[in-house]
Amino acid sequence: MNIKTIFNILFLISLSVSGQQLLTKQEAISVALENNYGIKIAKNNLKIAENNKNILNSGYLPTLDVNAGATYSLDDTEATYSDGRVTNLTGAESDRYNTSISLNYLLFDGMGRYYDYKTLKEQYNLTELQARQTIENTILQLFSVYYNVAKLTEDYSLLQQNLAISKDRLQRVQYQFEYGQNTKLAVLNAEVDVNNDSINLLNTKQLLINAKRDLYVVLGKEEAPNFTVDTLVNFNLAPSKESLFEKVKNNNVVLQQVEKNISINEFQIKANKSGYLPTIGLSGSYGWNKNNNNEASFLATSINNGLSAGISLSWNIFDGGSTKTLVNNAKINLENQELIKEETILDITRTFNNAYDDYVNKLFILQTQEKNVQTNTNNFNRTEEQFKLGQVTSIEFRQAQLNLINAINAKNSAKYDAKMAELLVLQLSGDLLNIDY
């Protein structure tokens, strides 16, 4: 691939990136919350949990049943009476109709229904926390990809500037060669550097396109990506490590889920103990019956209707030990949840300490890299002046150029690494959804 071909490709690339709209961080979050498939599934699970905790699923409401029926008979009958008379009936018709409505209500079930209802409410709260965790993980994934796009955007812009410098150097050494002030080797070295810089720019452009597609997957969008991103990074983490750790203990979504599981198991023990107590039920019904009999019956037509009501008590004095087994197993499950809580606290404490120290370390690296960029910028500017005056060689100028490019790349990487480290600390403290990005 010659230089002319590379320049033509780069010109087409520059046209392709023009006219792109800015996708801000807040807009990206809004789109992800609306379209991300994992978040959609979490929201649907929350709707199911909300339906489950409804009064209609609590067992507190009575049941109402309506029954109706009709019977038709066509019989051939021979009837013998007590006085000896015999009557034969052929095709004797009879029909019967009935309808009833019954109401049943469980008045007392040993408090099992009450604790089951409490459990359903806690399961809704648990599902709500699970949805929050899904959203937090999606936001972290979103920013990981978003900042990758931002990093590649800055890389692409930096490599464009780098290529422009190399092209200017090539033109300068060509002039110098034409006037006998430089050798052909310097021209060839400059051409090689232009080729390498052009290839790096093309590869970075492809990586940027791929990263934008990755971002659209997180956003749940299918169209071809045509946008730019905000490369500005603000750091929001101000509180001390101690105050942040207090937030971890109170607001961490994983710890809160463990607490909900403990509450659910406590209610489960109480619900299972309801098997030791009796149940009391109320019932009432109204029925209507009509019989149209054939001639063989003493009654041609009969109609019955009436109300009935009752109360029942049932007490399973001994159920073979199944209730005791359920209670014992529920207690063991509760003990397991308490152990999980202790393990989770230990794990999150370690994770928080590592994440916070990593954040502080990466902030220090960022500050160091910013100073390094300033140093290399001064060095490049001075080397460039000396190169134009012929006081340094083309190779020395190239080395100063590469040092500056590498320093800026390292600074940009440090910036986004520090930001992702901060977001992880914010997630652990439960503040990830409460900050201005």
Side-chain angles (χ1 to χ4, degrees):
M1 183 182 293
N2 57 41
I3 294 179
K4 184 177 179 181
T5 303
I6 292 175
F7 287 168
N8 289 335
I9 294 176
L10 294 175
F11 175 73
L12 293 175
I13 290 175
S14 65
L15 291 179
S16 67
V17 299
S18 62
Q20 296 182 341
Q21 292 185 344
L22 175 66
L23 177 65
T24 67
K25 303 179 187 73
Q26 290 295 344
E27 287 172 347
I29 293 173
S30 298
V31 174
L33 293 176
E34 184 69 25
N35 296 332
N36 182 267
Y37 291 103
I39 292 178
K40 285 183 177 180
I41 293 172
K43 288 180 178 179
N44 284 337
N45 290 336
L46 188 60
K47 290 178 181 178
I48 293 174
E50 186 174 10
N51 290 336
N52 288 337
K53 72 164 186 147
N54 193 283
I55 189 67
L56 298 176
N57 191 47
S58 65
Y60 275 108
L61 300 179
T63 59
L64 188 64
D65 299 310
V66 176
N67 296 290
T71 304
Y72 173 80
S73 300
L74 184 65
D75 303 314
D76 294 333
T77 304
E78 178 180 298
T80 301
Y81 296 95
S82 58
D83 57 0
R85 289 182 298 111
V86 178
T87 301
N88 291 310
L89 298 176
T90 302
E93 296 181 351
S94 62
D95 52 69
R96 300 178 181 85
Y97 304 94
N98 66 85
T99 183
S100 64
I101 182 170
S102 59
L103 180 72
N104 294 281
Y105 182 67
L106 183 62
L107 189 63
F108 179 75
D109 67 343
M111 300 296 289
R113 173 177 53 184
Y114 172 78
Y115 291 115
D116 286 340
Y117 189 40
K118 287 278 191 180
T119 298
L120 291 174
K121 288 185 175 181
E122 286 300 307
Q123 286 176 342
Y124 170 80
N125 295 332
L126 176 61
T127 306
E128 198 171 37
L129 291 171
Q130 291 169 345
R132 174 187 151 193
Q133 184 179 21
T134 299
I135 292 173
E136 288 184 356
N137 291 338
T138 302
I139 295 300
L140 272 185
Q141 181 189 13
L142 168 65
F143 276 112
S144 175
V145 183
Y146 187 94
Y147 286 134
N148 186 39
V149 174
K151 173 65 169 58
L152 289 169
T153 299
E154 291 190 326
D155 289 347
Y156 180 73
S157 177
L158 181 62
L159 290 175
Q160 282 181 314
Q161 299 173 34
N162 187 50
L163 179 60
I165 294 172
S166 297
K167 288 163 61 178
D168 181 72
R169 170 186 159 217
L170 174 60
Q171 188 179 42
R172 185 174 298 276
V173 295
Q174 284 176 334
Y175 287 152
Q176 291 173 345
F177 174 72
E178 291 173 0
Y179 288 101
Q181 298 176 355
N182 217 327
T183 64
K184 184 63 177 178
L185 180 59
V187 176
L188 293 176
N189 285 334
E191 288 180 348
V192 169
D193 291 337
V194 167
N195 279 331
N196 288 334
D197 293 344
S198 301
I199 291 171
N200 289 337
L201 182 61
L202 289 173
N203 289 334
T204 301
K205 176 59 180 177
Q206 187 58 53
L207 292 174
L208 177 58
I209 293 173
N210 295 344
K212 287 184 177 182
R213 292 194 183 108
D214 293 339
L215 180 57
Y216 261 25
V217 170
V218 179
L219 297 179
K221 302 182 72 173
E222 298 180 358
E223 63 265 26
N226 184 34
F227 62 91
T228 59
V229 297
D230 183 8
T231 59
L232 179 65
V233 171
N234 296 315
F235 293 95
N236 303 294
L237 202 56
S240 65
K241 184 176 181 180
E242 291 73 19
S243 60
L244 279 171
F245 187 62
E246 286 300 317
K247 288 188 175 183
V248 171
K249 291 188 289 185
N250 296 324
N251 301 329
N252 182 271
V253 68
V254 176
L255 279 176
Q256 289 183 346
Q257 289 181 65
V258 173
E259 293 287 353
K260 291 301 176 186
N261 280 322
I262 290 176
S263 297
I264 289 172
N265 278 272
E266 288 173 344
F267 287 136
Q268 193 62 54
I269 292 174
K270 296 176 180 179
N272 290 339
K273 286 182 177 180
S274 67
Y276 292 129
L277 300 175
T279 60
I280 301 174
L282 298 176
S283 63
S285 65
Y286 171 80
W288 178 87
N289 296 276
K290 180 180 180 181
N291 297 326
N292 295 318
N293 304 312
N294 57 36
E295 289 86 345
S297 175
F298 292 104
L299 297 175
T301 301
S302 63
I303 298 176
N304 298 314
N305 62 79
L307 291 168
S308 63
I311 183 171
S312 62
L313 184 145
S314 175
W315 197 342
N316 193 344
I317 301 299
F318 181 70
D319 60 0
S322 59
T323 298
K324 182 177 178 58
T325 301
L326 290 173
V327 172
N328 289 338
N329 287 341
K331 289 180 178 179
I332 295 173
N333 286 332
L334 177 60
E335 182 181 352
N336 286 338
Q337 289 300 322
E338 295 285 357
L339 293 173
I340 290 174
K341 179 181 177 181
E342 293 178 10
E343 181 185 28
T344 303
I345 291 175
L346 186 65
D347 181 67
I348 288 180
T349 300
R350 178 209 57 191
T351 303
F352 169 76
N353 286 326
N354 290 344
Y356 186 87
D357 292 346
D358 183 57
Y359 168 68
V360 172
N361 183 59
K362 286 179 177 176
L363 270 185
F364 176 78
I365 292 174
L366 174 59
Q367 294 168 359
T368 304
Q369 293 293 357
E370 288 174 343
K371 295 178 182 178
N372 195 30
V373 168
Q374 186 61 47
T375 301
N376 279 277
T377 299
N378 295 334
N379 179 65
F380 173 77
N381 290 336
R382 178 170 298 183
T383 305
E384 185 178 33
E385 292 175 1
Q386 293 177 341
F387 175 69
K388 291 178 181 179
L389 296 174
Q391 297 176 353
V392 297
T393 65
S394 177
I395 294 177
E396 290 173 324
F397 175 75
R398 176 64 176 179
Q399 188 60 52
Q401 177 188 358
L402 292 178
N403 288 342
L404 177 58
I405 295 300
N406 292 335
I408 296 175
N409 267 327
K411 187 264 293 183
N412 289 338
S413 295
K415 175 176 66 173
Y416 295 114
D417 288 345
K419 184 60 181 180
M420 289 305 301
E422 180 195 55
L423 292 178
L424 178 58
V425 175
L426 289 170
Q427 183 195 27
L428 291 170
S429 65
D431 285 334
L432 184 61
L433 304 179
N434 304 323
I435 64 171
D436 184 9
Y437 298 97

